[in-house]
Amino acid sequence: QVEMRESGGGLVQAGDSLTLSCTASGFIFGNFGLAWFRQAPGKERTFLIGITRSETSTSVEGRFTISRDNAKNTVYLQMNSLKPEDTAVYYCARDIGDWRNTPARRVAEYVTWGQGTQVTVSS
């Protein structure tokens, strides 16, 4: 069974740091690109940051970093200098394919999703 499960969310204060984890099972983890999306209340789910199988990654304002540990089937999202506008449900996802040289950015390009983890940043 293909599955991804996020953890590490919570309530933090503005300026704090937080690391989210996403552990996967049911597929060859190292073969696929991965990404983090987020969905704020009343808004669409949007791409935040991604990493390919060869560990090419995008960047987000210099505050967020994605990394992966293929031995642990886990992808991480390090978030620094958090702002209230970062409040959202954060989702990890697996790329539908294994051929990309740069991370895909559209929801439709990801086939497996976690259940999401809530991050709330207070001012």
Side-chain angles (χ1 to χ4, degrees), residues 29-30 32-34 50-58 66-71 74 100-103:
F29 185 81
F32 293 91
L34 306 159
I51 186 167
T52 65
R53 59 184 290 180
S54 60
E55 303 195 12
T56 300
S57 63
T58 57
I66 188 171
S67 62
R68 63 190 298 164
D69 185 337
N70 292 340
T74 301
R100 299 186 210 277
N101 295 319
T102 57

Side-chain angles (χ1 to χ4, degrees), residues 32-37 46-53 56-59 66 93-111 113:
F32 293 91
L34 306 159
W36 288 92
F37 287 72
T46 57
F47 175 84
L48 181 63
I49 192 168
I51 186 167
T52 65
R53 59 184 290 180
T56 300
S57 63
T58 57
S59 63
I66 188 171
R94 192 208 85 179
D95 195 328
I96 195 170
D98 60 359
W99 61 83
R100 299 186 210 277
N101 295 319
T102 57
R105 292 176 176 266
R106 297 185 299 129
V107 169
E109 294 173 307
Y110 289 85
V111 67
W113 295 84

Side-chain angles (χ1 to χ4, degrees), residues 2 12 14 16 18 35-36 48 54 58 63 65-66 69 72 86-87 93 102 105 122-123:
V2 177
V12 298
D16 285 353
L18 194 64
W36 288 92
L48 181 63
S54 60
T58 57
R63 296 191 298 124
T65 304
I66 188 171
D69 185 337
K72 296 182 178 180
D86 294 319
T87 294
T102 57
R105 292 176 176 266
S122 64
S123 58

Side-chain angles (χ1 to χ4, degrees), residues 13-27:
Q13 293 186 338
D16 285 353
S17 296
L18 194 64
T19 299
L20 305 183
S21 301
C22 173
T23 301
S25 61
F27 62 94

